Amino acid sequence: MEGALHGQHPDEVHLHEIGGLDTVVDTVGVAAALHALGVTAVHSAPLALGSGTVRCAHGVLPAPAPATLQLLRGAAIVGTDLPGEAVTPTGAALLRAAGTRFTPPPAMIVQDTAYGAGNRRFSQRPNVLSATLGAPLNAAAEPLVALECNVDDVTGELLGHVIDRALLAGAADAWITPATAKKSRPAHVLHVLCRPEREPELTELVLAETGSLGIRRHPVDRVALPRRTTTVTVEGHEIRLKHGPWRTKPEHDDVVAAATALGLPLRTVAARALGAQPSEP
């Protein structure tokens, strides 16, 4: 693109600003953030362009600079009376690389908002950019299979063992509900939720472990909101935090291990994990 603007072959182009520390930090930082946050789509309001001129390695150029305008092909823009550069070539390149859609905010659940401030001062408005992280409001349904069987002669220890084995074997979830069976016998219903490709393996596992003579199956649809995991450290012990649209929860097994090692109550360790600063995922 730079070569096209200057009528040069790409091998002859010298990128003056690309090696600057701020450019490297911006580029790598944005890429790492999009990856770490699991961002699948970027939306933006029309970009407010500045006016007047800017000074760069090529001398004094009109604002926005030609390279910026070239990068903004297909973007939605709006003119302002702000003096100088309001959208940089780096910013334009990042928006284009992220496949940005210039639309009103989509239907979503707001998870967090961050703000970045620039060094330049404008008399008309603050030099601040806001970015909002959101989860889709209407998540797509995922096809799953629910496996069920009634058992009235299996111990609680064995049922717990079956749940553990089912989860290790790839079940999406597994649980037990109490029931009253024929002849008023107390019983349990074992439920295993899985993806269709896991059904044969989990069916065999349940039948072998419980001794049941049969198992029911029926297709279900699950709507699951996006989630992500970060890690914090509590007195030298790593604890995973599971983040959903509405809440953040420490991983129970990690809390138990840390609480046991530190000799502290579970709720104390969990509270410290929630108040800790997440480390890089």
Side-chain angles (χ1 to χ4, degrees), residues 33 36-37 39 41 43 105-106 108-116 129-136 226 228 230 241 243-248 274 276-278:
L37 296 174
V39 174
H43 296 259
M108 64 180 181
I109 300 169
V110 175
Q111 294 178 298
D112 211 343
T113 300
Y115 301 89
L129 175 70
S130 65
T132 299
L133 180 67
R228 61 188 179 90
T230 59
L241 297 179
H243 304 271
W246 301 109
R247 61 181 297 196
T248 295
L274 288 172
Q277 181 67 32

Side-chain angles (χ1 to χ4, degrees), residues 9-262:
H9 190 274
D11 294 340
E12 300 174 352
V13 172
H14 175 67
L15 299 176
H16 303 278
E17 286 86 8
I18 194 65
L21 182 60
D22 58 338
T23 303
V24 175
V25 170
D26 289 344
T27 305
V28 176
V30 169
L34 292 176
H35 175 75
L37 296 174
V39 174
T40 58
V42 177
H43 296 259
S44 173
L47 301 174
L49 301 184
S51 60
T53 59
V54 293
R55 183 176 295 276
C56 65
H58 297 294
V60 178
L61 297 176
T68 304
L69 288 176
Q70 187 74 8
L71 288 165
L72 290 177
R73 290 180 61 184
I77 63 173
V78 60
T80 71
D81 57 357
L82 293 174
E85 192 174 52
V87 177
T88 66
T90 303
L94 288 171
L95 289 172
R96 184 163 179 176
T100 302
R101 308 170 194 176
F102 294 90
T103 66
M108 64 180 181
I109 300 169
V110 175
Q111 294 178 298
D112 211 343
T113 300
Y115 301 89
N119 292 325
R120 292 184 59 194
R121 294 184 177 274
F122 299 113
S123 59
Q124 305 95 327
R125 66 190 74 185
N127 185 10
V128 175
L129 175 70
S130 65
T132 299
L133 180 67
L137 188 58
N138 298 316
E142 177 186 14
L144 298 175
V145 176
L147 306 174
E148 299 175 353
C149 68
N150 296 0
V151 290
D152 59 9
D153 58 353
V154 177
T155 65
E157 291 88 348
L158 181 54
L159 288 174
H161 170 71
V162 176
I163 287 180
D164 290 341
R165 282 208 59 194
L167 293 174
L168 286 174
D173 202 357
W175 68 99
I176 299 167
T177 56
T180 301
K182 60 184 179 181
K183 300 181 182 179
S184 298
R185 289 199 296 261
H188 294 91
V189 182
L190 174 64
H191 309 262
V192 176
L193 191 65
C194 66
R195 293 180 174 82
E197 62 270 19
R198 294 284 187 181
E199 180 185 351
E201 176 186 356
L202 288 166
T203 296
E204 182 179 353
L205 184 153
V206 170
L207 292 176
E209 289 285 2
T210 65
S212 177
L213 297 177
I215 193 167
R216 300 181 297 277
R217 67 168 303 279
H218 53 92
V220 298
D221 289 332
R222 179 180 71 168
V223 175
L225 293 174
R227 72 287 307 269
R228 61 188 179 90
T229 301
T230 59
T231 302
V232 298
T233 301
V234 175
E235 296 191 27
H237 297 271
E238 289 191 348
I239 296 177
R240 289 165 290 173
L241 297 179
K242 297 180 290 187
H243 304 271
W246 301 109
R247 61 181 297 196
T248 295
K249 183 179 180 182
E251 182 64 49
H252 178 72
D253 291 345
D254 295 351
V255 174
V256 170
T260 302
L262 296 171

